Amino acid sequence: MLERARRTLARVGHNFIDNVWRVGSMTRFFFVVLASSGTSFQRFRLVMREVYFTGVLSLIIIMVSGLFVGMVLGLQGFETLQKYGAQESIGVLVALSLVRELGPVVSALLFASRAGSAITAEIGLMKATEQLTAMDMMAVSPMSRVIAPRFWAGVISMPLLAALFSAMGVFGGYLVGVVMVGVDNGAFWSQMQAAVDFRYDVMNGVVKSFVFGIAVTVIATFEGYDAPPTAEGVSGATTRTVVSSALTVLALDLMLTGFMLRGES
């Protein structure tokens, strides 16, 4: 019994130290990427090509998801607001829910699942087939040629995808609120315009999506670069990217929301 407890504690301690080591390695990796970014911006077409693969190819899932989330918010919001005779405020409810919270968070989770996993798998495969080693031998830095363009592509793409998600969500709320259940068109838009503050609502959402973009792309590139050069290693790294990104986004969202609410008060 005591031996089993000792082994359990040893395993927990080992996992804790391993996680602390990975966080430290990821932080060091982040600063190396920043230091290697100068060459990438000199060849900006590399960044734009990665924006296409990470951002443009994610448009469909982001826009369709945003539309459905907005429609669900419209249905749920109308049912609740109708009980208090405030169904005209459905536009405000949909817009604030999307711009402040759901737009940045849900689009970041979708981005991690679609683009983050693809980045990890691609870099991990390049490592397994020794393409990164070959670059080193030819005096081409993999950090500047492979990692930094993908990092900045994610940072650029994430706020734009979050904005599109929120816009499609508002359109979905409009379809349900105005077209389906008959809320006044003028009240829908005018109350939304009066209630949504550009500085506290829109800009806070942009800040959140920017931070989420940095976190997700750092995790995705690090896991790919650190993946064992085997099929199982790449598969495990891809899974860790999705799980770690989701947990990191939710934790960052809690911290940023608390900080922003304190700033408003």
Side-chain angles (χ1 to χ4, degrees), residues 36-98:
S36 306
S37 298
T39 308
S40 300
F41 283 112
Q42 290 175 1
R43 293 183 293 181
F44 198 63
R45 63 180 178 81
L46 291 177
V47 178
M48 296 311 298
R49 188 180 69 177
E50 296 304 325
V51 167
Y52 173 78
F53 286 113
T54 59
V56 176
L57 295 184
S58 301
L59 279 177
I60 296 298
I61 187 173
I62 291 290
M63 295 176 71
V64 173
S65 301
L67 181 66
F68 282 128
V69 169
M71 294 177 77
V72 170
L73 280 175
L75 284 172
Q76 294 280 8
F78 181 78
E79 287 296 318
T80 303
L81 294 172
Q82 192 179 31
K83 297 175 183 176
Y84 304 98
Q87 60 269 25
E88 304 294 333
S89 301
I90 188 172
V92 178
L93 184 147
V94 171
L96 289 181
S97 300
L98 286 166

Side-chain angles (χ1 to χ4, degrees), residues 54 94 140 145-146 148 161 185 192 202 209 216 231-232 254-255:
T54 59
V94 171
V140 176
R145 183 66 176 77
V146 176
L161 292 174
N185 183 44
M192 184 189 303
V202 178
S209 58
V216 171
E232 293 81 4
L254 176 63
M255 290 187 286

Side-chain angles (χ1 to χ4, degrees), residues 37-242:
S37 298
T39 308
S40 300
F41 283 112
Q42 290 175 1
R43 293 183 293 181
F44 198 63
R45 63 180 178 81
L46 291 177
V47 178
M48 296 311 298
R49 188 180 69 177
E50 296 304 325
V51 167
Y52 173 78
F53 286 113
T54 59
V56 176
L57 295 184
S58 301
L59 279 177
I60 296 298
I61 187 173
I62 291 290
M63 295 176 71
V64 173
S65 301
L67 181 66
F68 282 128
V69 169
M71 294 177 77
V72 170
L73 280 175
L75 284 172
Q76 294 280 8
F78 181 78
E79 287 296 318
T80 303
L81 294 172
Q82 192 179 31
K83 297 175 183 176
Y84 304 98
Q87 60 269 25
E88 304 294 333
S89 301
I90 188 172
V92 178
L93 184 147
V94 171
L96 289 181
S97 300
L98 286 166
V99 173
R100 282 187 170 188
E101 194 64 36
L102 292 178
V105 173
V106 178
S107 57
L109 297 178
L110 293 171
F111 181 77
S113 302
R114 194 269 167 203
S117 59
I119 290 172
T120 300
E122 186 181 11
I123 296 174
L125 186 61
M126 293 176 73
K127 185 178 180 182
T129 54
E130 299 187 346
Q131 294 180 52
L132 300 182
T133 305
M135 286 184 184
D136 266 334
M137 293 178 65
M138 291 186 293
V140 176
S141 170
M143 298 300 290
S144 300
R145 183 66 176 77
V146 176
I147 306 298
R150 285 163 175 76
F151 168 75
W152 286 110
V155 174
I156 294 170
S157 299
M158 189 63 247
L160 299 176
L161 292 174
L164 281 172
F165 183 95
S166 298
M168 290 302 298
V170 170
F171 179 65
Y174 171 83
L175 288 179
V176 170
V178 177
V179 178
M180 289 179 59
V181 300
V183 172
D184 181 71
N185 183 44
F188 182 90
W189 293 112
S190 62
Q191 291 197 20
M192 184 189 303
Q193 183 180 10
V196 177
D197 185 272
F198 180 80
R199 181 181 173 186
Y200 288 116
D201 299 322
V202 178
M203 289 309 298
N204 283 348
V206 172
V207 170
K208 278 187 177 181
S209 58
F210 182 73
V211 174
F212 296 161
I214 293 175
V216 171
T217 47
V218 166
I219 292 171
T221 50
F222 173 78
E223 292 292 353
Y225 195 75
D226 190 57
T230 61
E232 293 81 4
V234 175
S235 173
T238 305
T239 303
R240 283 196 300 276
T241 292
V242 177

